[in-house]
Structure formats: C-alpha cells, structure tokens
Amino acid sequence: MTSIATLGSHCALQVLKGAKDEGFKTILISEKKRENLYRRFGFIDEIVLVDSFLEIADKKCESILEQNNSILIPHGTLIAQMSSEQIESLTTPIFGNKWILRWESDRSLKEKLMLEAELDVPKSVRDPKQIKKLVIAKRHGAAGGKGYFLAANEAEYNDKRDKLIKEGIITGDKDLYLQEYVTGVLAYLQYFYSPLNDKLEFFGADKRHESDIEGLARIPAQQQMEIDQVQSFNVIANSPLVLRESLLPQVYSMGESFVKAAQKLVSPGINGPFCIEGVYDADANFKTFEFSARIVAGTNIYMEGSPYSSLLYDVPMSMGRRIAREIKKADSANQLDKIST
Ligand code: ATP
C-alpha cells in the first residue's frame, strides 16, 4: 500500500488531509517543537519526529518511508531547508519532478525556463551599476520574500545591501538577484498538470499579504520617508482572488506553454502542481516574475476547493487532495514512475 508523506510545515495539513480523504495512510516528518500542533489532527496517521528536516536524508528516516512505500510531497520548506543536491539524492520517491526544483531555486535557471515558456518576464539587472529604474532585490531559493528590498539607484541598493549584511541576512551581492519592479495587481496562478492524461487544470488564484511592505502602504508618505529601516516582503498570509473571466484564456495558455517548456528543458517536465507568479499591469498584461515548481502555500485557502476547482470536480478538491488522487490513479495503473522521480 502506498502512503503519502510530507514535512511538517507550509501546506502539510492540506496535503495530508487530502491524502486521507483519498484513503491513503499519512505520514508527517515533524520537528519536535511542532509535535503539539500536529498531534491535534486525526488525519495524520504517523509522526516521525526529527530535530531538523535535514534528517529526512538519514537512513533511519528514509527506511521508515521505504517500509511504508511513501511518496514524499515536496513543498516550499523542503526547498528552503535543503540544497538541490540534497533533494536530488533522496532515495524516497518525490511527487512530481525533483530535478525541476533546482530550476526553482536557481534564479538564472528559473529565468531561462520562464523565457523558454515565452512568459513576459521583467528584465533582470546583472550589475547594480545598471540600475536605471526601480528594482527589487531578491534572495535565491524560496526565501518567502524575507530580506527582499527595493532600490531606485546604485547608492540606495548599496546602502540597503550593507544593512542586510550587518543583520546577517545575506553575505553579499552574490546572494541577490535584481529584477525590474512591476506595479499592478499581484496574482499567484495555481495549476495542476497531469502527465497521465496530458491535461492542465487551472486550480485557483491567490494574493499574498507581505510584511512590512503592506504596513508601509498604510501610512502617509511623509512618515514613510522618515523610516530608516529596510522594508521586507515577508509572506504572512494568503487570500483568495477571482480573476475577470476574460483573463482565463491567457491563464491557460501561459500554463500550457510553461508545461511544454519544462518538458523540453527538464525531463520529465512539470508534473503535478505549480504556480506562475506575477503582476497584471494597467493593460491587464501579466508580467511573470517567478514560478514555483511544486505546491504553493497559497493553495491552503482552498482546502474545500476553489471557485475554479469546483468547476472541474464534484467533490471539494484541494490541491492536496488532487495530488493524492493522481497518486491513486497512477498506482492503480502501475504508473507511479510517471508521476514521481
Ligand atoms: P516564493 O515563496 O514564491 O518562492 P520568492 O522568495 O521566490 O517566493 P518572489 O515570489 O519572487 O520570491 O518575490 C516575493 C515578493 O516580492 C512577491 O510576492 C512580490 O510582492 C514581490 N515581487 C517580486 N518580484 C517582483 C517584481 N518584479 N515586481 C513587483 N513585485 C515583485
């Protein structure tokens, strides 16, 4: 019997609840400090306690997962806490394509894939001396916006970078990727691609609430000017977004060209959930600044299904449950190798 496992953070509750709804045994790898939280939920069958998530690569942890025929569902915490090499060397099967996770963590690979998919990507700025317009400086990997900042010119960039070095958040320029800042309505587009039937499903959209850039927007400009602190884009929460229906054709075509590009550049492609992240500008053009090659935490708002998933399924279908359903289907057709790596 196949079981479903994940790390205790990010969207673990959604993933394991969805797995239980589809009839799977559920396993959570949890840091000891979070045990109390996760013991509250009856749909978690087994908790493997660790001091650090890095232990998932240890023999002890991997053999528990092996005995349970587990498939590990990767999410943002796995990417944030382990290097690409560590993830790639796990022997536990990983849902989706573990090789594409490296393309998510590395900003240049990421840009390459977005351009291959012909997404409209804001320009990156290689050298701080070249900053001509407002840019956002971002850290590599899934840092969730922490330590990201805006700069309008080189001097402002240097000043903020130095403050972050002092605070121990970054070590230098090499930790930062600069991209033109786009203004408009931010949207995180959640998709699921199934290689079993070669079908793309648009699952939902969300927006993020980021501290303290949102806090800054709530105070008058005069007070903003007096704040001598580097603002951050630290994600605190997500809330639902429903798009104008006229935007949906483009949403599907962006998702489909992303699937094609991923199949071309990172075999076997983008299987399972992914997210295209960007900004609708004043002409409703979508500028893509980022993608996630796995389930995003923004899907947590749709544990009972989203306005879009309810158009596709007659039962409440969360992304976690959709993943479990894909595993169930692959398992019964003896095709687990098609949906995991
Ligand atoms: P994730 O948690 O999705 O992996 P991340 O750490 O890779 O996130 P981004 O999603 O690229 O970071 O950026 C974090 C935030 O910074 C975004 O939610 C958005 O508010 C802002 N942002 C990033 N790039 C741009 C841009 N080019 N223009 C405007 N805002 C941007």
Side-chain angles (χ1 to χ4, degrees), residues 104 107 110 122 136 138 141-145 148 179-182 186 188 208 210 233 277 279 289-290 292 294:
E104 171 177 340
R107 295 267 176 208
K110 177 172 258 177
I136 178 163
K138 311 194 230 186
Y148 296 11
Q179 189 177 59
E180 261 178 33
Y181 187 81
V182 187
L186 273 83
Y188 294 77
R208 287 179 170 186
E210 296 165 328
F233 289 73
E277 312 174 0
V279 183
F289 56 68
E290 162 81 286
S292 296
R294 36 79 199 175

Side-chain angles (χ1 to χ4, degrees), residues 186 207-219 224 231-239:
L186 273 83
K207 59 181 175 174
R208 287 179 170 186
H209 299 280
E210 296 165 328
S211 197
D212 194 20
I213 197 71
E214 280 194 16
L216 191 66
R218 287 168 58 93
I219 57 175
Q224 288 181 12
Q231 299 305 315
S232 195
F233 289 73
N234 196 10
V235 187
I236 302 297
N238 304 75
S239 57

Side-chain angles (χ1 to χ4, degrees), residues 291-305:
F291 69 81
S292 296
R294 36 79 199 175
I295 185 170
V296 288
T299 57
N300 285 340
I301 49 186
Y302 301 125
M303 296 212 200
E304 284 296 307

